[in-house]
Amino acid sequence: MTNPPVKRVPKLRFGSVGNTGALVDRVVQKIQEQILSGRLAVGTKLPPERELAERLGVSRTVLREAVRVLSAKGLLETCHGVGTTVRALTREEMLEPLNLFLRSWGRDVSLNHLHQVRSLLEVENIGLAAEQASEEDIRDLRRILEEMEAAKEDPLLFAAKDSDFHTRLAQTAHNPLLTLLLDSIHDLMVGIRELVAHESGLVERVMPAHIEMLDCIVMRDAKRARQAMRAHLLAALDVQKKAILSADRQVAEPEPEQSADAGRIAGYT
């Protein structure tokens, strides 16, 4: 990643954080607030360690630990010969903690939980998309549908294109926070789509729903778009439950040549 131009920090009024209590946490909070408020812009170079420690009224050891914490959060970056500068958080860095959380709680996150979250987010998202979609958005969605159609004989490629459609649809509402929330469950959905990829009749059920959703966006029909997405998600949930039930049966009585694949599938349940 290319670092933005380094900016010299103005004479900021950090103010003393005091000499008692959790000094490191208080320093972290104080600097973080200035970054999030925009007073410390991306690319801004912090004052030298000794000077900043004096302004904050803490030891250099406390300041170093605070900088380490902020660097771990992705808010600061220290480079030899340059110093410590404010950096921009990437989308991947913001999503990774939530993705790890979802994966670590995999046994407690059921298909019904995932369906509920998708319904809350994707139904509203497509309604906004029908109202906000640009011509470029529509062209991209139509292109991905064509790629899905071309991938009908390749289940895993079809699943990947299905994922691309929903990812692009998330962007079509032009709400960056909504896009971020939808992206947070992306990894879980990749696993689910791979799980159901070989289900019989999947393409015949999925393609018409996606075509209808795009038609609703083109017609700027937000109400019908939400109805189409809601129906699609319910149908998808039915397919997913059947696929997991089938996978569970294979795990219970795996055939020798299927045992390795059955274990892989079980990992997504």
Side-chain angles (χ1 to χ4, degrees):
M1 182 182 72
T2 303
N3 290 325
V6 173
K7 304 173 184 177
R8 291 298 303 179
V9 66
K11 197 69 172 181
L12 294 173
R13 299 174 181 173
F14 283 94
S16 173
V17 297
N19 297 313
T20 60
L23 290 180
V24 172
D25 290 342
R26 294 168 71 183
V27 171
V28 167
Q29 182 179 4
K30 201 166 193 70
I31 297 176
Q32 181 173 284
E33 284 175 356
Q34 297 221 22
I35 293 172
L36 298 179
S37 69
R39 292 192 65 202
L40 281 174
V42 173
T44 299
K45 182 179 177 181
L46 295 187
E49 183 181 271
R50 183 187 300 276
E51 178 185 342
L52 183 53
E54 290 176 355
R55 291 196 207 178
L56 293 167
V58 297
S59 69
R60 294 170 71 178
T61 300
V62 168
L63 178 59
R64 286 193 199 108
E65 181 62 18
V67 168
R68 186 192 66 78
V69 172
L70 289 164
S71 296
K73 289 185 175 185
L75 295 173
L76 295 178
E77 183 174 34
T78 300
C79 298
H80 181 70
V82 176
T84 301
T85 57
V86 178
R87 66 185 295 271
L89 274 173
T90 66
R91 169 181 166 279
E92 289 72 20
E93 287 170 325
M94 289 186 284
L95 286 174
E96 185 176 9
L98 183 54
N99 279 330
L100 289 174
F101 172 80
L102 289 173
R103 286 180 177 278
S104 68
W105 284 79
R107 293 181 181 275
D108 296 317
V109 177
S110 69
L111 274 180
N112 283 332
H113 294 147
L114 186 58
H115 170 74
Q116 289 164 4
V117 172
R118 292 189 73 193
S119 297
L120 288 169
L121 297 176
E122 294 202 59
V123 170
E124 183 59 26
N125 182 83
I126 196 171
L128 293 173
E131 298 169 352
Q132 304 290 340
S134 67
E135 290 303 316
E136 181 182 0
D137 294 328
I138 292 172
R139 283 196 302 270
D140 284 349
L141 289 170
R142 184 170 284 123
R143 171 182 54 78
I144 296 171
L145 274 185
E146 292 171 355
E147 292 172 353
M148 288 177 67
E149 180 73 25
K152 287 193 302 185
E153 304 303 320
D154 186 335
L156 290 180
L157 180 58
F158 182 83
K161 294 302 178 181
D162 185 358
S163 180
D164 289 345
F165 182 88
H166 284 268
T167 297
R168 189 64 182 86
L169 186 56
Q171 299 164 357
T172 303
H174 297 280
N175 182 326
L177 183 56
L178 187 52
T179 301
L180 187 67
L181 291 171
L182 284 165
D183 283 348
S184 70
I185 60 173
H186 178 266
D187 286 352
L188 290 179
M189 286 311 307
V190 167
I192 294 296
R193 288 190 178 99
E194 289 178 354
L195 175 63
V196 304
H198 296 278
E199 286 296 297
S200 176
L202 179 68
V203 172
E204 290 74 13
R205 296 187 69 173
V206 168
M207 279 304 299
H210 285 67
I211 293 170
E212 181 182 5
M213 287 188 285
L214 180 55
D215 286 344
C216 293
I217 293 173
V218 172
M219 297 299 293
R220 307 293 179 183
D221 191 336
K223 181 179 179 180
R224 184 168 149 240
R226 291 185 177 96
Q227 292 171 343
M229 177 62 79
R230 191 174 289 108
H232 168 61
L233 294 181
L234 283 171
L237 179 63
D238 182 58
V239 173
Q240 292 159 9
K241 287 183 174 180
K242 288 179 180 177
I244 285 181
L245 180 61
S246 175
D248 285 344
R249 288 171 178 165
Q250 291 180 26
V251 172
E253 298 180 7
E255 298 179 10
E257 65 274 15
Q258 294 179 326
S259 58
D261 189 55
R264 179 185 66 81
I265 292 175
Y268 287 114
T269 64

